[in-house]
Amino acid sequence: MFRILVAEDDKGTRRLMQDTLADAGYEPLPAADGQQALELLGQKHVDLMVLDVMMPKLDGFSLLSQLRSTGSDLPVLVLTAKEAQADKRRGLRLGADDYMTKPADEEELLLRIGALLRRAQAISSRQLAVGGTVLVYDDLAVRWNGRAAVLPRKEFQLLYKLLSSPGKTFTRRQLMDEIWDLDTDSDEHTVNVHINRLRDRFRDNRDFAIVTVRGLGYKAVRL
């Protein structure tokens, strides 16, 4: 059973989150403020943290910064009322794996948690398999249809990101923020170029396809 730390200062919201996670088969571990969450992280094994930002004693961004400064790669989903794009970028820059604004749809929240847990397991094993296609993280290599190729780093990271969450749509801005440096001189057209290169490389792949979601971005789908 996966243990999920819920760092949320509002008692009612925290209780609802605990019930939602327990009903989905997870073990929720509640924390009423950032300092308590930090202490629990040092005491217990945690598989993922759902993190509010506006908390007493230690706010969510400060907690996230401290966590990443120790080298921890614990999956963190920020769930907050702070919906400004600048806040989202700050959260991602500090090391959040996903960012949602309140009130969150429970089904979407659980889907995102599941995707983050699967991705964490894949990274820890350093491989990701989609049908007969295998991505080897350390080598930036992909094996499929009896073939193997080493991809440029950005192409590999982009493909890995999409295949880690099949069916989930990522905007071009999300992909830029997570794969390219936020201060890069490249624009969102760079994502289009890399997607086209991936499609060309894997045009005969029977395990997945990269689909354009008109007006939004891209997603990978299993075939």
Side-chain angles (χ1 to χ4, degrees):
M1 180 182 294
F2 290 110
R3 179 181 290 160
I4 299 180
L5 177 59
V6 179
E8 168 63 61
D9 66 316
D10 182 82
K11 185 176 180 179
T13 302
R14 188 170 66 251
R15 182 71 254 178
L16 178 61
M17 280 290 301
Q18 288 179 249
D19 292 343
T20 298
L21 292 171
D23 289 344
Y26 299 115
E27 179 187 346
L29 182 65
D33 57 63
Q35 186 60 46
Q36 184 181 15
L38 190 61
E39 292 170 357
L40 287 171
L41 287 171
Q43 298 168 2
K44 299 178 180 292
H45 171 76
V46 173
D47 295 291
L48 180 144
M49 176 165 59
V50 178
L51 178 65
D52 187 22
V53 172
M54 295 179 285
M55 295 187 294
K57 297 186 181 179
L58 185 67
D59 69 81
F61 284 153
S62 297
L63 171 56
L64 182 57
S65 178
Q66 288 190 37
L67 181 68
R68 294 304 186 227
S69 70
T70 67
S72 172
D73 57 0
L74 175 74
V76 176
L77 189 158
V78 172
L79 179 60
T80 176
K82 296 175 75 68
E83 60 183 10
Q85 191 67 19
D87 292 316
K88 181 176 182 179
R89 291 190 181 185
R90 183 183 178 192
L92 294 172
R93 185 182 293 114
L94 288 171
D97 297 277
D98 205 345
Y99 193 105
M100 295 183 70
T101 55
K102 299 176 181 177
D105 177 79
E106 290 184 8
E107 182 178 1
E108 181 182 358
L109 177 64
L110 292 173
L111 287 171
R112 293 197 186 198
I113 286 173
L116 289 177
L117 289 170
R118 288 193 300 274
R119 186 191 311 168
Q121 287 183 303
I123 290 176
S124 66
S125 68
R126 312 306 288 180
Q127 292 191 4
L128 173 65
V130 178
T133 300
V134 178
L135 283 70
V136 184
Y137 197 87
D138 290 336
D139 299 332
L140 305 180
V142 183
R143 300 194 298 266
W144 80 104
N145 296 351
R147 301 164 58 186
V150 176
L151 273 57
R153 182 171 298 276
K154 297 300 185 186
E155 283 186 38
F156 182 89
Q157 291 175 334
L158 181 58
L159 182 63
Y160 200 98
K161 175 71 175 178
L162 293 171
L163 290 180
S164 293
S165 303
K168 177 179 177 180
T169 299
F170 294 93
T171 67
R172 294 173 182 83
R173 185 71 259 172
Q174 284 178 307
L175 295 170
M176 283 292 297
D177 287 350
E178 296 190 35
I179 296 174
W180 282 263
D181 294 333
L182 292 179
D183 298 326
T184 182
D185 292 331
S186 301
D187 58 24
E188 295 180 16
H189 177 68
T190 299
V191 178
N192 301 345
V193 172
H194 282 71
I195 289 290
N196 287 335
R197 289 175 181 168
L198 288 171
R199 284 173 169 163
D200 186 57
R201 286 183 187 275
F202 298 101
R203 58 184 178 274
D204 61 344
N205 189 290
R206 299 179 181 178
D207 297 316
F208 69 88
I210 300 174
V211 176
T212 300
V213 181
R214 188 174 180 84
L216 292 176
Y218 300 101
K219 66 179 179 180
V221 295
R222 294 176 181 267
L223 300 179

